[in-house]
Amino acid sequence: MKILVAIKQVPSRDSQLKVSSSGRWMEDADLSAEINEPDAYALEEALQLKEKHGGEVVALCAGPARASQTIREALAKGADRAVHVEEEDLGRFDLLGVAQLLAKAAAEVKPDLILTGLQSDDLGYGQTGVILAELLGLPHSTIIMQVEKTEAGIRVKRELEDGWFQHMTMPLPAVLTIQSGINKLRYATLMGIKKAKTKEVKQLSADGLGVTAAPKVSLERVYMPQRAKQTTLLPGTAKEQAAKLAEILKFEVRVL
Amino acid sequence: MSVLVVMEQSRLAWHRMSWEALAAGQQMGPALGIPVAAAVLGHGAAALAGELGGKKLDKVYHVEHELLDHYTADAYTVALAELVDMAKPSMVLFPHTYRVRDFAPRLATRLGGLLVSDVLRIEVKDGAAVAVRQMFQGKLNADYRAAGGGTQYISIQAGAYRAEHVEAGSAEVEVLTPALEAAQIRIKVEEPFRESARAVDLTAADLIVSAGRGIKEQENLSLIQELAAAMGAEVAASRPICDNGWLPMDRQVGSSGQTVAPKVYFAVGISGAIQHLVGMKGSKCVVAINKDPNAPIFEVADYGIVGDLFEVVPALIEEIKKAKG
Ligand SMILES: Cc1cc2nc3c(=O)[nH]c(=O)nc-3n(C[C@H](O)[C@H](O)[C@H](O)COP(=O)(O)OP(=O)(O)OC[C@H]3O[C@@H](n4cnc5c(N)ncnc54)[C@H](O)[C@@H]3O)c2cc1C
Ligand SMILES: Nc1ncnc2c1ncn2[C@@H]1O[C@H](COP(=O)(O)O)[C@@H](O)[C@H]1O
């Protein structure tokens, strides 16, 4: 099975975000970056499927040159090769534009299965995989917690709300969006890191893929939200804060 | 020009978030000066369509087909594409449910549009709709505006609008039978199920101490357990803690875990992403301990301690023991 995994590089989770002077994005030049969390699970799922059924795992990433760090990490964990749609300013495309870049690049790879994360930690659209499926004319399912290969295709377990699940089957090729927690993540080995240096990373560009930015939706402004609720913040040292909270719990909330 | 609200039902029972999306629609219609319609899809859903007919709407579409008896993305996309082609709404609203996540991006793409997902509110500026949504897991907000002239597709975040604001009225119900064929449905679904019975029922707990990723290592969970023991509380967690296998899944609070409403909910090192908030917002009192003063959890907290949990929690355990005497 040839499996394509879409991985995105996002600012690290504990980044201190500052809106840039344009008011449309973050000052991200000096933020550290990491792989989008659900994408790490998607990659792991692809590696496990390959270990069971053979085939190849190809990582696909659209992003600036610095995203090559994340691509290298995927190769070090065991992806066989990668495709990097290098684009310094992905922000000039809307979500559909990015999905078009990924779809064009995916079409060249001709995978049997495409895995994406269910949602990106930065933009959080939760849509790219589904749009990709439509652009490629493939069946899809989302929020996947288990993937099994069958004679005719795949059988997956989809997470529903409130602790419910559902199994479904579909033919291949197909697109799945993977939920965090589907498996246990591996670490890259030293050997893996060494090998990664020799693996192929194919560079593509928006121009080369014939995708031009024509946003249907424009992101006008990014800003810190106004907090509506009046939280009583407890001042002082940790000890003072703790003492005050214990007092509140005892005399106001009355649970002690 | 109209607003179309796509309602959600399973086994002929409404998804509660449908009413929130409907409330959003009923506000947008007058704000934009255009009529409002709502649609329900299903098989044998006439009673639900009739119920919608008792709301303040200009039109109700009852999309009826036996292949809509249970949900598949393929069938919903075909059926709704036909409805949108016919009704030509300028704005389509959905509740941002797991099902809408599954099909709405596909539908919008097929119709040449783009969904703005998980929207907090829609403002009307110079006669045009501006959709406000969160980014970076609720740390930032962003305004989106349609760049072209086509239909706008927007899904509404849980709790963003209030179901009790839905206004009653009366509307004509039109039945539509989409041209849907079994061959168009590539996915075969099985019956929904729950994992083996939950070992813990957090919904009955009076006090809950919940740990998030701020706890850093599995070993540090003992700190949370100690706090819970001092309080006489149950231990719960955000999703990443359960994903890591540090606590069993049945301790997870949130949209894919349990929905709890204790007297006091301690959120320790939890950022407050919407999928977590929906599971604990109903708590009578929320106490948040987080080192980031901008963490969205403080939006729902009654009492907040901005600080390092590794300093605050040990001090708190001591103070609680003292207070209990
Ligand atoms: C479809 C879907 C379903 C989901 N279902 C759920 C669900 O049911 N439940 C759920 O919880 N999540 C769910 N999620 C995930 C959710 O979006 C968030 O990713 C998750 O809730 C984040 O968990 P967290 O707050 O523990 O971690 P983070 O967001 O990483 O937050 C950690 C927090 O700890 C703070 N911190 C760090 N160190 C310290 C310290 N020393 N002292 C004090 N504070 C510190 C940080 O400031 C930060 O605010 C779901 C996501 C999706 C897309
Ligand atoms: N620039 C990108 N490069 C590679 N994959 C991406 C990119 N953007 C989004 N994705 C994939 O799409 C998923 C969902 O992203 P989103 O729709 O932004 O929430 C992510 O988890 C990734 O797997």
Side-chain angles (χ1 to χ4, degrees):
Chain A
M1 202 163 25
K2 191 193 280 182
I3 308 171
L4 185 71
V5 191
I7 57 171
K8 182 179 182 182
Q9 188 183 56
V10 296
S12 303
R13 211 168 289 105
D14 42 12
S15 299
Q16 281 307 316
L17 301 173
K18 236 183 88 201
V19 176
S20 66
S21 55
S22 73
R24 293 181 164 204
W25 194 237
M26 255 52 59
E27 301 280 4
D28 56 8
D30 30 69
L31 292 185
S32 62
E34 61 192 11
I35 186 171
N36 184 48
E37 184 168 56
D39 304 2
Y41 286 97
L43 173 65
E44 178 62 37
E45 196 59 23
L47 295 172
Q48 291 189 13
L49 284 166
K50 178 192 150 178
E51 280 157 10
K52 258 185 238 153
H53 306 288
E56 189 188 19
V57 174
V58 184
L60 169 62
C61 176
R66 61 186 290 197
S68 55
Q69 174 62 26
T70 297
I71 293 171
R72 283 288 159 212
E73 282 165 25
L75 294 172
K77 283 192 173 186
D80 297 286
R81 59 188 175 98
V83 178
H84 184 180
V85 181
E86 196 175 324
E87 169 60 49
E88 277 314 308
D89 180 19
L90 217 50
R92 65 192 182 95
F93 296 89
D94 63 7
L95 162 65
L96 180 62
V98 173
Q100 280 164 339
L101 290 174
L102 298 175
K104 286 268 170 79
E108 290 187 8
V109 175
K110 298 195 187 63
D112 302 302
L113 179 63
I114 300 177
L115 304 182
T116 74
L118 86 165
Q119 189 161 312
S120 56
D121 287 339
D122 53 355
L123 296 169
Y125 294 123
Q127 296 194 52
T128 304
V130 180
I131 296 177
L132 202 54
E134 175 66 13
L135 293 175
L136 294 168
L138 302 178
H140 81 273
S141 189
T142 52
I143 323 188
I144 297 305
M145 285 298 280
Q146 195 178 301
V147 185
E148 285 165 65
K149 197 172 169 338
T150 61
E151 290 274 297
I154 45 172
R155 179 166 181 265
V156 301
K157 180 168 136 191
R158 167 161 207 261
E159 186 178 302
L160 306 176
E161 282 146 1
D162 299 323
W164 288 82
F165 296 93
Q166 186 172 33
H167 281 114
M168 48 191 69
T169 51
M170 69 191 82
L172 293 176
V175 179
L176 301 175
T177 81
I178 301 294
Q179 170 68 298
S180 293
I182 181 175
N183 48 38
K184 213 164 165 354
L185 300 178
R186 74 186 65 191
Y187 293 100
T189 58
L190 268 175
M191 180 70 166
I193 294 167
K194 228 171 166 182
K195 265 195 181 159
K197 299 200 174 99
T198 64
K199 289 179 177 171
E200 178 204 357
V201 180
K202 187 169 183 182
Q203 302 285 339
L204 299 174
S205 68
D207 283 350
L209 291 167
V211 177
T212 47
K216 291 181 187 295
V217 168
S218 69
L219 172 54
E220 287 208 314
R221 191 165 75 98
V222 177
Y223 51 100
M224 295 303 247
Q226 283 228 325
R227 299 288 178 218
K229 177 148 178 178
Q230 292 300 316
T231 304
T232 307
L233 289 181
L234 309 179
T237 62
K239 185 155 173 46
E240 287 159 358
Q241 290 171 319
K244 183 73 193 150
L245 182 57
E247 189 188 312
I248 290 169
L249 292 172
K250 183 159 181 176
F251 297 107
E252 288 176 38
V253 192
R254 299 200 183 155
V255 291
L256 291 185
Chain B
M1 300 274 277
S2 63
V3 177
L4 173 67
V5 182
V6 178
M7 304 287 285
E8 179 165 327
Q9 61 88 14
S10 299
R11 298 162 188 249
L12 306 181
W14 293 112
H15 192 298
R16 61 189 188 284
M17 281 168 63
S18 299
W19 300 112
E20 299 173 1
L22 192 66
Q26 286 184 332
Q27 287 178 32
M28 287 320 295
L32 293 166
I34 54 179
V36 184
V40 57
L41 285 72
H43 181 47
L48 297 183
E51 192 181 342
L52 279 181
K55 304 300 172 198
K56 188 178 167 212
L57 289 167
D58 296 282
K59 185 94 183 222
V60 170
Y61 297 103
H62 171 197
V63 183
E64 168 66 34
H65 201 289
E66 60 179 18
L67 292 173
L68 296 171
D69 191 31
H70 50 254
Y71 165 76
T72 57
D74 285 338
Y76 266 54
T77 304
V78 171
L80 279 168
E82 189 175 321
L83 174 63
V84 171
D85 271 343
M86 186 213 48
K88 300 201 169 32
S90 37
M91 176 182 284
V92 184
L93 299 180
F94 309 86
H96 190 67
T97 59
Y98 283 26
R99 180 185 296 180
V100 164
R101 283 169 169 275
D102 196 60
F103 78 80
R106 179 151 216 154
L107 174 70
T109 305
R110 187 163 304 175
L111 293 167
L114 178 55
L115 173 73
V116 181
S117 45
D118 212 5
V119 163
L120 279 179
R121 62 175 179 276
I122 310 170
E123 294 165 357
V124 176
K125 288 186 189 159
D126 322 318
V130 174
V132 183
R133 62 185 298 283
Q134 297 174 316
M135 276 188 177
F136 289 90
Q137 309 237 11
K139 283 189 208 148
L140 290 171
N141 279 3
D143 292 352
Y144 288 78
R145 201 191 275 263
T151 305
Q152 281 178 283
Y153 300 86
I154 295 175
S155 63
I156 305 288
Q157 184 171 90
Y161 287 79
R162 302 187 71 96
E164 33 323 347
H165 291 168
V166 169
E167 291 180 66
S170 80
E172 174 212 347
V173 178
E174 180 178 334
V175 180
L176 177 83
T177 307
L180 187 58
E181 286 163 28
Q184 290 170 303
I185 303 174
R186 294 164 289 187
I187 297 174
K188 301 275 170 289
V189 298
E190 300 170 28
E191 281 297 304
F193 64 96
R194 279 199 164 188
E195 228 70 320
S196 55
R198 282 169 172 162
V200 266
D201 182 12
L202 295 176
T203 60
D206 261 351
L207 301 171
I208 294 178
V209 176
S210 196
R213 199 182 340 234
I215 197 78
K216 302 254 171 12
E217 310 271 342
Q218 182 166 19
E219 296 76 71
N220 300 335
L221 269 178
S222 58
L223 205 54
I224 299 298
Q225 271 142 357
E226 240 181 274
L227 175 58
M231 289 288 305
E234 285 285 353
V235 171
S238 66
R239 179 162 190 131
I241 303 300
C242 302
D243 283 349
N244 285 339
W246 296 353
L247 281 175
M249 280 282 254
D250 47 18
R251 300 252 168 208
Q252 182 178 313
V253 168
S255 64
S256 45
Q258 302 205 39
T259 302
V260 300
K263 282 192 192 138
V264 185
Y265 186 90
F266 287 81
V268 185
I270 293 178
S271 64
I274 180 67
Q275 295 87 4
H276 188 79
L277 297 186
V278 295
M280 46 65 74
K281 267 200 306 205
S283 305
K284 267 140 238 106
C285 174
V286 175
V287 176
I289 301 172
N290 198 303
K291 68 173 184 189
D292 176 6
N294 293 320
I297 190 71
F298 288 119
E299 179 85 346
V300 300
D302 298 280
Y303 299 101
I305 292 181
V306 176
D308 185 342
L309 72 91
F310 296 105
E311 291 172 19
V312 175
V313 174
L316 186 57
I317 293 168
E318 205 174 295
E319 294 295 336
I320 285 171
K321 283 184 181 158
K322 247 197 261 166
K324 278 194 154 176

